[in-house]
Amino acid sequence: MRSFGFTLLAVMFMAALGAPVFAPYAIDGQFRGWLNAPPTFPHVQDEAGTWHAPFIYPWTLKNQLEQRYEQDRSQRVSLEWFAGGHVVASSDAARMPLFLLGADSYGRDVFSRLLHGARISLGLSLVAAAGALLVGALVGGVAGYAGGVLDDLLMRGSDFVLVLPAMYVALALRSVLRLVLPPFEVFVLLAGIFAVVGAPFIARGVRAIVRSEKQLDYGVAAVSLGASHLRVLLRHLLPAARGFIVVEIVMLVPAFIVAEATLSYVGLGFPDPVASWGTMLHDASANLAFADFPWLLSPAAAMFLVVLGLNLVTQQTGIATVYNDPNESSRRLRANSDTVRS
Protein backbone atom coordinates (compact mmCIF):
# COMPACT_ATOMS: atom_id res chain seq x y z
CA MET A 1 0.00 0.00 0.00
CA ARG A 2 2.90 2.34 0.66
CA SER A 3 4.09 1.87 -2.92
CA PHE A 4 0.62 2.75 -4.14
CA GLY A 5 0.69 5.88 -1.96
CA PHE A 6 4.06 6.94 -3.37
CA THR A 7 2.84 6.29 -6.91
CA LEU A 8 -0.34 8.27 -6.33
CA LEU A 9 1.57 11.24 -4.93
CA ALA A 10 4.16 11.07 -7.72
CA VAL A 11 1.42 11.20 -10.35
CA MET A 12 -0.30 14.13 -8.65
CA PHE A 13 2.88 16.17 -8.28
CA MET A 14 4.10 15.38 -11.80
CA ALA A 15 0.74 16.45 -13.18
CA ALA A 16 0.99 19.69 -11.22
CA LEU A 17 4.55 20.41 -12.35
CA GLY A 18 3.71 19.63 -15.96
CA ALA A 19 0.40 21.52 -16.00
CA PRO A 20 1.36 23.91 -18.84
CA VAL A 21 2.10 20.88 -21.05
CA PHE A 22 -0.56 18.41 -19.90
CA ALA A 23 -3.39 20.97 -19.79
CA PRO A 24 -5.05 21.37 -23.21
CA TYR A 25 -6.01 25.02 -22.65
CA ALA A 26 -5.18 28.07 -20.54
CA ILE A 27 -6.83 28.49 -17.15
CA ASP A 28 -8.84 31.49 -18.35
CA GLY A 29 -9.69 30.13 -21.80
CA GLN A 30 -13.47 30.32 -22.26
CA PHE A 31 -15.69 28.47 -24.72
CA ARG A 32 -18.99 30.34 -24.53
CA GLY A 33 -20.92 27.75 -26.50
CA TRP A 34 -20.24 24.95 -24.01
CA LEU A 35 -21.22 26.19 -20.55
CA ASN A 36 -21.24 23.23 -18.14
CA ALA A 37 -20.59 20.88 -21.04
CA PRO A 38 -20.05 17.20 -20.06
CA PRO A 39 -16.68 15.48 -20.46
CA THR A 40 -15.63 14.47 -23.96
CA PHE A 41 -14.12 11.01 -23.69
CA PRO A 42 -11.67 9.99 -26.45
CA HIS A 43 -12.74 7.09 -28.68
CA VAL A 44 -10.88 4.88 -31.11
CA GLN A 45 -13.90 3.09 -32.61
CA ASP A 46 -16.91 4.71 -34.23
CA GLU A 47 -20.55 3.58 -34.26
CA ALA A 48 -19.95 1.33 -37.26
CA GLY A 49 -17.13 -0.48 -35.51
CA THR A 50 -14.40 1.11 -37.63
CA TRP A 51 -11.12 1.87 -35.89
CA HIS A 52 -9.63 5.37 -36.05
CA ALA A 53 -6.96 7.45 -34.41
CA PRO A 54 -8.24 8.83 -31.07
CA PHE A 55 -11.13 11.23 -31.60
CA ILE A 56 -14.06 12.77 -29.71
CA TYR A 57 -17.73 13.23 -30.50
CA PRO A 58 -19.07 16.81 -30.35
CA TRP A 59 -21.83 17.84 -27.95
CA THR A 60 -24.99 19.58 -29.17
CA LEU A 61 -26.87 21.90 -26.84
CA LYS A 62 -30.48 20.70 -26.66
CA ASN A 63 -31.82 22.83 -23.81
CA GLN A 64 -30.32 26.24 -23.06
CA LEU A 65 -32.18 26.67 -19.77
CA GLU A 66 -31.21 23.28 -18.36
CA GLN A 67 -27.86 23.29 -20.17
CA ARG A 68 -28.56 19.79 -21.38
CA TYR A 69 -26.37 18.35 -24.11
CA GLU A 70 -26.60 15.39 -26.44
CA GLN A 71 -23.75 13.72 -28.23
CA ASP A 72 -23.63 13.93 -31.99
CA ARG A 73 -22.21 10.58 -33.08
CA SER A 74 -22.50 11.40 -36.76
CA GLN A 75 -19.38 13.59 -36.56
CA ARG A 76 -15.86 13.00 -35.37
CA VAL A 77 -13.35 15.56 -34.16
CA SER A 78 -9.80 14.30 -34.27
CA LEU A 79 -7.24 14.99 -31.56
CA GLU A 80 -4.02 16.89 -32.18
CA TRP A 81 -0.94 15.58 -30.38
CA PHE A 82 2.15 17.51 -29.26
CA ALA A 83 1.18 20.75 -30.96
CA GLY A 84 1.21 24.25 -29.55
CA GLY A 85 3.15 23.18 -26.48
CA HIS A 86 0.42 20.78 -25.27
CA VAL A 87 0.36 17.01 -25.18
CA VAL A 88 -3.11 16.74 -26.67
CA ALA A 89 -5.95 19.03 -27.68
CA SER A 90 -8.85 19.12 -30.10
CA SER A 91 -7.85 19.68 -33.71
CA ASP A 92 -10.92 21.90 -34.17
CA ALA A 93 -11.82 23.68 -30.93
CA ALA A 94 -14.46 25.70 -32.76
CA ARG A 95 -16.44 22.52 -33.43
CA MET A 96 -15.69 20.82 -30.10
CA PRO A 97 -12.97 21.49 -27.53
CA LEU A 98 -11.40 18.63 -25.62
CA PHE A 99 -13.05 18.59 -22.19
CA LEU A 100 -11.57 15.59 -20.36
CA LEU A 101 -13.41 16.63 -17.17
CA GLY A 102 -16.10 18.77 -18.72
CA ALA A 103 -16.49 22.55 -18.62
CA ASP A 104 -17.53 24.88 -15.82
CA SER A 105 -20.29 27.48 -15.81
CA TYR A 106 -18.00 29.94 -17.65
CA GLY A 107 -17.10 27.47 -20.39
CA ARG A 108 -13.59 26.88 -19.06
CA ASP A 109 -11.90 23.49 -19.25
CA VAL A 110 -12.11 21.89 -15.79
CA PHE A 111 -9.18 19.54 -16.44
CA SER A 112 -6.83 22.40 -17.36
CA ARG A 113 -7.89 24.42 -14.33
CA LEU A 114 -7.52 21.35 -12.10
CA LEU A 115 -3.89 20.84 -13.15
CA HIS A 116 -3.00 24.52 -12.81
CA GLY A 117 -4.89 24.67 -9.52
CA ALA A 118 -2.78 21.80 -8.21
CA ARG A 119 0.32 23.97 -8.62
CA ILE A 120 -1.23 26.64 -6.40
CA SER A 121 -2.81 24.39 -3.76
CA LEU A 122 0.04 21.88 -3.46
CA GLY A 123 2.72 24.56 -3.69
CA LEU A 124 1.08 26.66 -0.99
CA SER A 125 0.68 23.68 1.33
CA LEU A 126 4.32 22.63 0.89
CA VAL A 127 5.68 26.14 1.47
CA ALA A 128 3.45 26.55 4.53
CA ALA A 129 4.54 23.16 5.86
CA ALA A 130 8.20 24.11 5.38
CA GLY A 131 7.58 27.37 7.27
CA ALA A 132 5.83 25.50 10.08
CA LEU A 133 8.77 23.09 10.21
CA LEU A 134 11.36 25.85 10.51
CA VAL A 135 9.44 27.85 13.12
CA GLY A 136 8.24 24.82 15.08
CA ALA A 137 11.61 23.06 15.14
CA LEU A 138 13.38 26.27 16.19
CA VAL A 139 10.91 27.11 18.95
CA GLY A 140 10.63 23.54 20.20
CA GLY A 141 14.37 22.90 20.02
CA VAL A 142 15.33 26.08 21.87
CA ALA A 143 12.62 25.51 24.49
CA GLY A 144 13.62 21.91 25.11
CA TYR A 145 17.34 22.66 25.22
CA ALA A 146 17.27 25.87 27.26
CA GLY A 147 14.53 25.00 29.74
CA GLY A 148 13.62 27.36 32.55
CA VAL A 149 11.87 30.66 31.93
CA LEU A 150 12.56 30.67 28.19
CA ASP A 151 10.98 27.26 27.91
CA ASP A 152 7.88 28.45 29.76
CA LEU A 153 7.53 31.58 27.63
CA LEU A 154 7.90 29.76 24.32
CA MET A 155 5.54 26.95 25.29
CA ARG A 156 2.88 29.29 26.68
CA GLY A 157 2.98 31.18 23.42
CA SER A 158 2.65 27.92 21.50
CA ASP A 159 -0.22 26.83 23.74
CA PHE A 160 -2.01 30.11 23.09
CA VAL A 161 -1.88 29.55 19.33
CA LEU A 162 -2.64 25.85 19.72
CA VAL A 163 -5.88 26.26 21.67
CA LEU A 164 -7.31 28.72 19.16
CA PRO A 165 -9.47 27.21 16.39
CA ALA A 166 -6.97 27.17 13.53
CA MET A 167 -9.49 27.82 10.77
CA TYR A 168 -11.10 30.73 12.60
CA VAL A 169 -7.67 32.24 13.24
CA ALA A 170 -6.83 32.02 9.54
CA LEU A 171 -10.21 33.50 8.61
CA ALA A 172 -9.79 36.35 11.11
CA LEU A 173 -6.25 37.21 10.02
CA ARG A 174 -7.21 37.14 6.35
CA SER A 175 -10.43 39.11 6.78
CA VAL A 176 -8.72 42.13 8.39
CA LEU A 177 -6.74 42.70 5.18
CA ARG A 178 -7.92 44.04 1.84
CA LEU A 179 -10.48 41.80 0.22
CA VAL A 180 -8.74 41.81 -3.17
CA LEU A 181 -4.98 41.23 -3.20
CA PRO A 182 -2.57 40.28 -5.99
CA PRO A 183 -2.10 36.50 -6.28
CA PHE A 184 1.51 36.58 -5.08
CA GLU A 185 0.58 38.55 -1.97
CA VAL A 186 -2.24 36.11 -1.25
CA PHE A 187 0.19 33.19 -1.61
CA VAL A 188 2.75 34.70 0.77
CA LEU A 189 0.06 35.80 3.22
CA LEU A 190 -1.67 32.42 3.39
CA ALA A 191 1.65 30.58 3.63
CA GLY A 192 2.65 32.78 6.56
CA ILE A 193 -0.68 32.34 8.34
CA PHE A 194 -0.66 28.57 7.89
CA ALA A 195 2.98 28.33 9.03
CA VAL A 196 2.22 30.23 12.25
CA VAL A 197 -0.89 28.17 12.94
CA GLY A 198 0.88 24.85 12.25
CA ALA A 199 4.19 25.55 14.02
CA PRO A 200 2.94 24.79 17.59
CA PHE A 201 2.04 21.22 16.60
CA ILE A 202 5.68 20.62 15.68
CA ALA A 203 7.13 22.72 18.51
CA ARG A 204 5.55 20.75 21.35
CA GLY A 205 6.73 17.38 20.06
CA VAL A 206 10.22 18.61 19.20
CA ARG A 207 10.56 20.17 22.65
CA ALA A 208 9.71 16.89 24.38
CA ILE A 209 12.13 14.88 22.22
CA VAL A 210 15.00 17.37 22.58
CA ARG A 211 14.49 17.57 26.32
CA SER A 212 14.61 13.78 26.61
CA GLU A 213 17.57 13.32 24.24
CA LYS A 214 19.57 16.01 26.01
CA GLN A 215 19.79 13.80 29.08
CA LEU A 216 21.20 10.78 27.24
CA ASP A 217 24.88 9.92 27.39
CA TYR A 218 25.84 11.28 23.97
CA GLY A 219 24.19 14.63 24.70
CA VAL A 220 25.97 15.01 28.02
CA ALA A 221 29.25 13.86 26.45
CA ALA A 222 29.00 16.40 23.65
CA VAL A 223 28.58 19.24 26.15
CA SER A 224 31.42 17.90 28.32
CA LEU A 225 33.78 17.82 25.32
CA GLY A 226 33.18 21.50 24.69
CA ALA A 227 30.75 21.37 21.77
CA SER A 228 28.82 24.61 21.39
CA HIS A 229 25.16 24.72 22.33
CA LEU A 230 24.18 25.39 18.73
CA ARG A 231 26.15 22.38 17.48
CA VAL A 232 24.70 20.09 20.13
CA LEU A 233 21.18 21.21 19.28
CA LEU A 234 21.45 21.12 15.49
CA ARG A 235 23.89 18.23 15.02
CA HIS A 236 22.81 15.81 17.74
CA LEU A 237 19.41 16.59 19.29
CA LEU A 238 17.14 17.85 16.51
CA PRO A 239 17.92 14.87 14.20
CA ALA A 240 16.41 12.63 16.87
CA ALA A 241 13.04 14.28 16.16
CA ARG A 242 13.07 13.54 12.44
CA GLY A 243 10.50 10.75 12.68
CA PHE A 244 8.05 12.94 14.54
CA ILE A 245 8.63 15.83 12.15
CA VAL A 246 8.01 13.64 9.09
CA VAL A 247 4.64 12.51 10.42
CA GLU A 248 3.62 16.03 11.44
CA ILE A 249 4.51 17.43 8.02
CA VAL A 250 2.52 14.70 6.31
CA MET A 251 -0.45 15.59 8.51
CA LEU A 252 -0.09 19.35 8.01
CA VAL A 253 0.10 19.28 4.20
CA PRO A 254 -3.46 17.99 3.67
CA ALA A 255 -4.69 20.26 6.46
CA PHE A 256 -3.25 23.27 4.63
CA ILE A 257 -4.78 22.11 1.34
CA VAL A 258 -8.21 21.99 3.00
CA ALA A 259 -7.59 25.35 4.70
CA GLU A 260 -6.75 27.02 1.39
CA ALA A 261 -9.83 25.49 -0.17
CA THR A 262 -11.97 26.76 2.72
CA LEU A 263 -10.63 30.31 2.51
CA SER A 264 -11.09 30.39 -1.25
CA TYR A 265 -14.54 28.85 -0.86
CA VAL A 266 -15.68 31.77 1.31
CA GLY A 267 -14.07 34.31 -1.03
CA LEU A 268 -10.97 35.12 1.03
CA GLY A 269 -8.49 33.17 -1.04
CA PHE A 270 -7.05 33.70 -4.49
CA PRO A 271 -8.85 36.14 -6.81
CA ASP A 272 -10.49 35.14 -10.06
CA PRO A 273 -9.31 34.00 -12.61
CA VAL A 274 -6.45 32.39 -10.63
CA ALA A 275 -7.19 28.68 -10.45
CA SER A 276 -6.79 26.81 -7.20
CA TRP A 277 -8.77 23.87 -5.93
CA GLY A 278 -10.51 26.20 -3.50
CA THR A 279 -11.53 28.76 -6.10
CA MET A 280 -12.82 25.97 -8.33
CA LEU A 281 -15.03 24.66 -5.53
CA HIS A 282 -16.17 28.22 -4.85
CA ASP A 283 -17.20 28.56 -8.50
CA ALA A 284 -18.96 25.20 -8.35
CA SER A 285 -20.94 26.23 -5.27
CA ALA A 286 -22.26 29.28 -7.12
CA ASN A 287 -23.92 26.93 -9.60
CA LEU A 288 -27.32 26.08 -8.11
CA ALA A 289 -27.53 22.94 -10.23
CA PHE A 290 -23.98 21.72 -9.68
CA ALA A 291 -25.39 18.34 -8.57
CA ASP A 292 -26.28 17.82 -12.24
CA PHE A 293 -22.67 18.56 -13.20
CA PRO A 294 -20.59 16.30 -10.91
CA TRP A 295 -17.38 17.01 -12.82
CA LEU A 296 -17.32 20.44 -11.13
CA LEU A 297 -16.46 18.63 -7.89
CA SER A 298 -13.27 17.14 -9.34
CA PRO A 299 -11.07 19.35 -7.07
CA ALA A 300 -12.63 17.64 -4.04
CA ALA A 301 -11.73 14.27 -5.56
CA ALA A 302 -8.16 15.48 -6.18
CA MET A 303 -7.87 16.62 -2.56
CA PHE A 304 -9.10 13.21 -1.42
CA LEU A 305 -6.47 11.43 -3.54
CA VAL A 306 -3.65 13.59 -2.14
CA VAL A 307 -4.78 12.97 1.44
CA LEU A 308 -5.14 9.24 0.72
CA GLY A 309 -1.64 9.06 -0.76
CA LEU A 310 -0.11 10.91 2.19
CA ASN A 311 -1.86 8.65 4.69
CA LEU A 312 -0.76 5.50 2.88
CA VAL A 313 2.83 6.74 2.88
CA THR A 314 2.65 7.66 6.56
CA GLN A 315 1.51 4.20 7.65
CA GLN A 316 5.02 2.73 7.41
CA THR A 317 7.25 5.80 7.64
CA GLY A 318 8.06 8.44 10.20
CA ILE A 319 7.25 7.41 13.76
CA ALA A 320 6.07 3.99 12.66
CA THR A 321 9.58 3.29 11.35
CA VAL A 322 11.79 5.25 13.73
CA TYR A 323 10.17 4.73 17.10
CA ASN A 324 8.58 1.31 16.76
CA ASP A 325 11.93 -0.26 15.95
CA PRO A 326 13.43 -1.41 19.27
CA ASN A 327 16.95 -1.22 17.84
CA GLU A 328 16.61 2.34 16.52
CA SER A 329 17.38 4.05 19.84
CA SER A 330 20.57 2.03 20.35
CA ARG A 331 21.67 2.63 16.76
CA ARG A 332 21.08 6.37 17.13
CA LEU A 333 22.98 6.40 20.43
CA ARG A 334 26.00 4.61 18.91
CA ALA A 335 25.99 6.86 15.83
CA ASN A 336 25.91 10.03 17.85
CA SER A 337 28.52 8.73 20.28
CA ASP A 338 30.88 7.95 17.39
CA THR A 339 30.29 11.47 16.04
CA VAL A 340 31.09 13.02 19.43
CA ARG A 341 34.30 11.00 19.79
CA SER A 342 35.43 11.99 16.32
Side-chain angles (χ1 to χ4, degrees), residues 1-10 308-318 320-322:
M1 294 302 291
R2 186 176 63 175
S3 299
F4 176 74
F6 275 118
T7 302
L8 187 59
L9 291 177
L308 175 62
L310 288 171
N311 279 278
L312 291 176
V313 170
T314 311
Q315 286 180 357
Q316 298 181 15
T317 56
T321 301
V322 175

Side-chain angles (χ1 to χ4, degrees), residues 15-306:
L17 292 175
V21 177
F22 296 133
Y25 307 107
I27 58 174
D28 55 350
Q30 296 184 355
F31 300 91
R32 298 288 186 178
W34 289 277
L35 307 183
N36 290 322
T40 52
F41 300 109
H43 299 268
V44 293
Q45 192 176 33
D46 61 17
E47 290 292 285
T50 306
W51 294 86
H52 302 272
F55 65 91
I56 57 176
Y57 288 118
W59 290 107
T60 302
L61 182 63
K62 291 298 183 181
N63 190 307
Q64 179 69 40
L65 181 62
E66 298 178 0
Q67 292 182 338
R68 180 168 53 85
Y69 294 82
E70 290 185 3
Q71 202 169 58
D72 182 5
R73 291 183 171 268
S74 64
Q75 305 182 52
R76 291 184 290 108
V77 178
S78 61
L79 299 180
E80 191 175 35
W81 298 87
F82 304 105
H86 303 283
V87 173
V88 61
S90 171
S91 62
D92 190 353
R95 290 176 58 200
M96 186 67 236
L98 175 63
F99 293 142
L100 294 176
L101 289 177
D104 63 10
S105 56
Y106 297 96
R108 299 174 299 194
D109 179 32
V110 173
F111 180 72
S112 297
R113 290 178 61 80
L114 184 70
L115 294 185
H116 285 283
R119 299 169 67 116
I120 298 293
S121 297
L122 296 178
L124 174 62
S125 63
L126 291 177
V127 171
L133 166 62
L134 293 176
V135 176
L138 178 62
V139 171
V142 171
Y145 187 81
V149 177
L150 183 58
D151 179 18
D152 290 337
L153 290 176
L154 292 176
M155 286 301 99
R156 295 300 76 78
S158 297
D159 291 341
F160 175 76
V161 177
L162 196 61
V163 298
L164 296 175
M167 184 52 62
Y168 292 108
V169 172
L171 284 170
L173 292 176
R174 175 62 183 92
S175 61
V176 298
L177 300 174
R178 299 197 318 270
L179 182 61
V180 179
L181 294 172
F184 179 75
E185 291 186 18
V186 174
F187 187 97
V188 174
L189 173 66
L190 294 184
I193 293 175
F194 294 162
V196 171
V197 172
F201 293 94
I202 297 178
R204 290 180 62 85
V206 170
R207 170 193 177 265
I209 294 172
V210 168
R211 191 169 184 176
S212 174
E213 293 287 324
K214 179 184 175 182
Q215 301 174 9
L216 295 181
D217 292 343
Y218 74 87
V220 176
V223 175
S224 301
L225 291 174
S228 65
H229 297 302
L230 183 62
R231 176 178 174 81
V232 172
L233 179 60
L234 297 180
R235 182 65 181 83
H236 301 291
L237 301 183
L238 282 180
R242 64 186 182 276
F244 169 79
I245 291 175
V246 167
V247 173
E248 283 297 318
I249 290 297
V250 171
M251 294 175 64
L252 286 176
V253 167
F256 292 154
I257 293 176
V258 174
E260 182 277 324
T262 303
L263 288 175
S264 296
Y265 182 82
V266 299
L268 295 177
F270 291 94
D272 194 66
V274 175
S276 75
W277 290 347
T279 57
M280 293 180 66
L281 291 176
H282 177 267
D283 293 340
S285 68
N287 194 326
L288 297 179
F290 74 89
D292 297 328
F293 315 119
W295 51 88
L296 298 180
L297 300 179
S298 55
M303 292 167 59
F304 169 78
L305 292 177
V306 171

